[in-house]
Amino acid sequence: MTEMVLFQGPGFVVQKPSEWLAVATEQYQAALLGPMVGSARVGFLVSVTDVDKDDDPLKEVFERIKGEQQEKLTNYHVAMERDLSRDNVQAYSRNFTWYNGSIDMVIVERQVFMQVGATRFVVTSTQPNSEVLAQFDKLFVEMFNSFRVGELVLENGPTQEG
């Protein structure tokens, strides 16, 4: 069984497999990178943006991104969309597949768009459609379920050296 460790990103925490690499890119404030499966890397990606009063509502962004994905991704197919909003948190999820011709693989992705106060998060799991799909899908469900916004984790070490 994979050992899970707490990863603290900008404004969020999530459990990730201990052996996965964590990097930041221009597009993703956290890219948690797992193993290669065939020619594709398994990953859990988090984008964090601040929102101001002039920005489009989250639901409009969710729909606009879908349109962009339909235009850009070959054989794009939405398997499921859901409104996950509750309390004071807006959230929408989309599961979809698309064909990546450069590696000749179908890619399976799950995205959750959420807004908490003036901060938006887009959390994406990505993996190839392969014989290990169910294994990684179970892991991604665990990671999504562990995702928390705004929690401070204090590293608490010994009070004395020695």
Side-chain angles (χ1 to χ4, degrees):
M1 176 139 185
T2 301
E3 179 188 0
M4 301 297 279
V5 296
L6 188 68
F7 173 80
Q8 187 166 354
F12 70 91
V13 295
V14 65
Q15 293 284 330
K16 75 168 192 71
S18 60
E19 67 276 10
W20 284 28
L21 178 66
V23 298
T25 68
E26 189 173 315
Q27 185 176 5
Y28 301 106
Q29 284 63 46
L32 308 177
L33 304 176
M36 294 294 290
V37 175
S39 301
R41 182 168 302 280
V42 173
F44 191 86
L45 314 168
V46 182
S47 173
V48 182
T49 56
D50 293 325
V51 180
D52 68 37
K53 61 179 175 46
D54 297 327
D55 288 339
D56 290 335
L58 183 64
K59 180 68 172 173
E60 288 181 25
V61 172
F62 180 72
E63 294 301 333
R64 183 177 66 242
I65 296 296
K66 177 181 176 179
E68 292 171 4
Q69 291 168 335
Q70 287 172 325
E71 287 180 19
K72 293 179 184 175
L73 302 176
T74 304
N75 294 337
Y76 178 83
H77 172 73
V78 173
M80 180 176 59
E81 290 184 329
R82 292 186 0 207
D83 184 340
L84 304 174
S85 302
R86 64 176 186 230
D87 301 325
N88 294 324
V89 177
Q90 294 178 354
Y92 306 95
S93 72
R94 176 180 299 124
N95 297 2
F96 62 95
T97 59
W98 60 282
Y99 176 71
N100 185 330
S102 66
I103 59 173
D104 192 28
M105 295 184 90
V106 172
I107 305 298
V108 178
E109 295 195 19
R110 175 182 290 136
Q111 287 187 315
V112 175
F113 292 66
M114 72 181 85
Q115 183 166 330
V116 181
T119 306
R120 284 191 183 149
F121 299 86
V122 179
V123 184
T124 305
S125 66
T126 182
Q127 65 175 314
N129 188 7
S130 70
E131 67 279 353
V132 293
L133 179 72
Q135 170 191 338
F136 282 107
D137 196 50
K138 182 177 177 183
L139 175 65
F140 285 137
V141 168
E142 184 177 345
M143 292 174 76
F144 275 106
N145 288 341
S146 76
F147 189 87
R148 300 288 181 267
V149 172
E151 294 190 15
L152 176 63
V153 177
L154 299 176
E155 294 297 327
N156 204 356
T159 57
Q160 299 179 15
E161 290 187 32

